[in-house]
Amino acid sequence: MIGRFNWAGVVEFLPQLATGLYYTLLISVVGLLIGFILGAIFGLGRISKNKLVYFVSSFYIEVLRGTPVLVQAIWIFFALPLIIGYNFDSITAGIIVIALNSGAYIAEIVRGAVMSIEKGQMEAGRSLGLDHGKTMRYIIWPQAFKRMIPPLGNQFIISIKDTSLLSVILVPELIFQGRLIAANHFNAVEIYTTVALFYLVITLSLSFILRIVERRLDIQ
């Protein structure tokens, strides 16, 4: 009946939505872990004095930040296999998309955090007899990483929401599962509202955890 919504009927679809939530979190977590490694490499490369390293890092960052996630997903899933002769399954393609995209943004987070450390810290390390690498590892990086935590948390939230775009390449995440259910059972209001609540719970939980971490580490 118009104006009445069968919220109780959503319960039977919770297992399917839970499957979508699993893939959403899987792709987000694995993608961000890889993205952090890429971000650390290219972020440090962005402040390197080596011109080739600087150029490659800048090219990666600008290309990935300058194109929409949706375009990247379509290109990696449909176009890249035609070039390399290998087809990715949708889950792998989704992880690659999140990893590459988040890596570009994390690279700028890393660059900004490292450059925010006073130059005197590097000089102090060298005065203690540490070479450049050890000074970065034991003095600069720990301080910079502490400052990265708030923006890294924000990037995690953004990447989780970006996974909703991966339904276009048939990744069975939350939006994909919601669309299947709504199309087959004509309960779009209930299903899409439930999907939105799933995302809201995830992002609010991450925000809460992030605030606790910031307080404990006394991040300014």
Side-chain angles (χ1 to χ4, degrees):
M1 181 182 296
I2 296 176
R4 286 191 165 184
F5 307 121
N6 182 24
W7 297 107
V10 174
V11 175
E12 66 177 290
F13 301 113
L14 287 180
Q16 190 172 341
L17 292 175
T19 298
L21 176 62
Y22 167 76
Y23 284 113
T24 292
L25 294 176
L26 173 67
I27 292 171
S28 299
V29 172
V30 176
L32 277 164
L33 288 175
I34 299 173
F36 180 77
I37 296 172
L38 293 174
I41 294 172
F42 289 105
L44 294 175
R46 191 74 182 265
I47 58 177
S48 173
K49 294 181 180 180
N50 185 299
K51 292 184 178 180
L52 177 61
V53 173
Y54 174 82
F55 172 78
V56 172
S57 299
S58 297
F59 180 80
Y60 164 76
I61 292 170
E62 296 304 329
V63 169
L64 271 297
R65 291 178 66 197
T67 53
V69 177
L70 185 61
V71 173
Q72 294 168 17
I74 292 173
W75 193 86
I76 288 173
F77 189 68
F78 295 107
L80 184 58
L82 298 178
I83 298 174
I84 64 176
Y86 178 80
N87 292 316
F88 298 105
D89 63 82
S90 61
I91 305 298
T92 302
I95 291 174
I96 292 173
V97 171
I98 296 300
L100 291 177
N101 184 266
S102 64
Y105 287 92
I106 292 173
E108 285 296 275
I109 293 172
V110 170
R111 182 186 67 84
V114 171
M115 292 186 68
S116 71
I117 305 301
E118 297 77 6
K119 293 183 179 179
Q121 298 286 327
M122 178 63 75
E123 296 171 359
R126 302 304 289 271
S127 68
L128 293 173
L130 301 176
D131 59 25
H132 183 273
K134 289 183 177 179
T135 301
M136 284 291 296
R137 180 180 177 182
Y138 295 113
I139 298 179
I140 304 299
W141 185 258
Q143 298 180 70
F145 183 75
K146 184 177 178 180
R147 299 183 183 184
M148 293 177 206
I149 291 176
L152 284 176
N154 291 333
Q155 183 58 47
F156 194 4
I157 292 173
I158 291 171
S159 294
I160 286 177
K161 292 188 290 186
D162 282 345
T163 60
S164 64
L165 300 173
L166 299 178
S167 61
V168 73
I169 59 171
L170 307 180
V171 174
E173 43 70 57
L174 266 175
I175 289 294
F176 182 87
Q177 300 290 359
R179 288 171 60 187
L180 282 181
I181 297 169
N184 292 327
H185 300 277
F186 307 102
N187 52 355
V189 174
E190 296 94 328
I191 291 300
Y192 289 136
T193 301
T194 303
V195 168
L197 289 174
F198 269 61
Y199 279 112
L200 187 60
V201 169
I202 296 170
T203 55
L204 289 178
S205 298
L206 285 173
S207 296
F208 177 72
I209 293 171
L210 182 60
R211 284 195 295 270
I212 293 176
V213 172
E214 289 178 17
R215 284 200 298 267
R216 291 195 174 184
L217 295 179
D218 191 26
I219 298 174
Q220 303 296 328

